[in-house]
Amino acid sequence: MNLNDSRILLTGAGSGIGRSLALQLGKKGANLALFGRNVAKLNEIAFEIRAHGGKASAFVFDMTDSSGQDGIVQEVIQSMGGIDILINNAGIAGFCEFSNQNPDDIERLIRTNITGPILLTRAVLPHLVRKNSGRIVNVGSTFGSIGFGHFSVYSATKFAMRGFSESLRRELDHTGVGVTYVAPRATRTALNEDAVVELNRRTGIAMDDADDVAGWIIEAIEAEAKDYYIGWPEKFFARLNGIFPRLVDNALKKNNRIARGLVKHAN
Ligand SMILES: NC(=O)c1ccc[n+]([C@@H]2O[C@H](COP(=O)([O-])OP(=O)(O)OC[C@H]3O[C@@H](n4cnc5c(N)ncnc54)[C@H](OP(=O)(O)O)[C@@H]3O)[C@@H](O)[C@H]2O)c1
């Protein structure tokens, strides 16, 4: 898939992986609708993209909103003349003991990470199906294939994102619209609070740079990949967990013990 002149709606464009994606896609000649809640951050990125000859505009939208998706998608279509790719990247995490997790935080996590992307996809999809081309790109996680203790709700949202991607891809197999599911492993962004960075350090879990992860996501889109798992041994364990979950239970016991110690200080 050639990204030059492609029209891309990117959520979570204001920071981390989304910011890197925006800047790299801008350099590839894409026309970008940058979604997020913080207009100042989005405008700054749009300005940087335009300063390098690219095309980008900011759109303020909260992924937890239960309505408004159709309206903002129409605005984007009018502004860019259409949409070719939707990248569902916005997300939040939650490192805690499940029984202590506040119901409002649980609701926010589910709305941001899965209900929001599903509703936005529902708003964009008829446009792609009508022109019989385009791609939905869903950013999941290693935690969408391996349930990690102390990330129960976050893992649940990413498992849901993987299931949604697979189902939708099969549903659309008679159309020209593709679905790519990308699963990054731990990445150095604001998503990971200090306790998670410490957990990764103590358990030897590698953390990637957001710029590298953005580059791999772009590779996945250009290759029109169906599923794209980032990092070794994470991509191996993601598959192993599907076949021999008891082996992975044992492998994660040490992580769980360290997480139990760290989570008390984090919450
Ligand atoms: N970092 C990792 O270790 C890691 C690993 C695997 C997968 N991922 C996934 O990668 C994606 C990007 O995460 P990141 O690491 O780049 O995190 P990040 O730096 O915290 O960025 C998350 C983005 O999501 C946006 N966002 C959060 N809540 C929102 C809401 N209610 N409405 C609209 N936008 C919202 C934020 O925008 P505003 O706050 O400006 O609105 C922000 O730009 C997420 O889906 C995450 O689950 C991350």
Side-chain angles (χ1 to χ4, degrees), residues 11-19 35-38 41-42 61-64 88-93 108 112-113 139-142 154 158 183-192 200 207 210:
T11 70
S15 58
I17 296 168
R19 180 178 188 280
F35 271 46
R37 292 169 300 182
N38 185 325
K41 278 199 287 184
L42 296 175
F61 188 73
D62 191 324
M63 293 300 287
T64 64
N88 282 310
N89 164 73
I92 53 173
R108 189 173 318 109
T112 308
N113 289 11
V139 178
S141 166
T142 306
Y154 178 72
K158 294 299 181 179
R185 64 175 175 184
T187 308
R188 279 183 286 276
T189 69
L191 186 97
N192 294 307
N200 291 341
M207 296 188 77

Side-chain angles (χ1 to χ4, degrees), residues 85-203:
I85 301 172
L86 164 64
I87 307 181
N88 282 310
N89 164 73
I92 53 173
F95 175 58
C96 56
E97 271 173 8
F98 172 64
S99 49
N100 288 337
Q101 200 162 10
N102 178 307
D104 289 342
D105 291 344
I106 293 175
E107 183 72 26
R108 189 173 318 109
L109 198 40
I110 292 172
R111 280 181 177 271
T112 308
N113 289 11
I114 188 67
T115 315
I118 286 176
L119 293 179
L120 200 57
T121 303
R122 184 181 173 280
V124 171
L125 195 57
H127 173 72
L128 303 185
V129 170
R130 254 195 312 278
K131 66 192 184 76
N132 203 33
S133 70
R135 185 155 292 271
I136 307 289
V137 180
N138 291 327
V139 178
S141 166
T142 306
F143 288 21
S145 301
I146 304 172
F148 269 72
H150 304 93
F151 292 91
S152 301
V153 180
Y154 178 72
S155 278
T157 64
K158 294 299 181 179
F159 268 69
M161 190 65 134
R162 185 163 63 89
F164 174 57
S165 306
E166 184 176 278
S167 307
L168 189 63
R169 180 187 306 130
R170 288 175 179 160
E171 186 170 324
L172 295 171
D173 68 358
H174 63 296
T175 74
V177 181
V179 179
T180 296
Y181 171 78
V182 188
R185 64 175 175 184
T187 308
R188 279 183 286 276
T189 69
L191 186 97
N192 294 307
E193 58 192 89
D194 292 349
V196 175
V197 175
E198 179 59 15
L199 173 65
N200 291 341
R201 192 187 66 77
R202 288 198 207 170
T203 52

Side-chain angles (χ1 to χ4, degrees), residues 192-259:
N192 294 307
E193 58 192 89
D194 292 349
V196 175
V197 175
E198 179 59 15
L199 173 65
N200 291 341
R201 192 187 66 77
R202 288 198 207 170
T203 52
I205 291 177
M207 296 188 77
D208 292 317
D209 281 332
D211 284 344
D212 292 335
V213 174
W216 291 318
I217 293 175
I218 291 171
E219 258 178 43
I221 300 171
E222 287 177 328
E224 302 184 4
K226 291 184 166 133
D227 298 295
Y228 193 96
Y229 291 81
I230 295 172
W232 181 264
E234 285 78 1
K235 59 176 83 174
F236 167 72
F237 276 108
R239 279 167 176 76
L240 184 70
N241 192 52
I243 309 168
F244 298 117
R246 297 294 82 83
L247 287 180
V248 179
D249 285 351
N250 287 330
L252 286 179
K253 274 189 189 309
K254 179 183 163 204
N255 296 54
N256 249 336
R257 190 166 31 78
I258 297 173

Side-chain angles (χ1 to χ4, degrees), residues 14 34-45 58-61:
L34 308 176
F35 271 46
R37 292 169 300 182
N38 185 325
V39 72
K41 278 199 287 184
L42 296 175
N43 277 334
E44 190 190 305
I45 296 162
F59 292 83
V60 174
F61 188 73

Side-chain angles (χ1 to χ4, degrees), residues 54-72:
K55 287 166 266 173
S57 314
F59 292 83
V60 174
F61 188 73
D62 191 324
M63 293 300 287
T64 64
D65 285 355
S66 53
S67 62
Q69 287 79 7
D70 289 338
I72 196 134

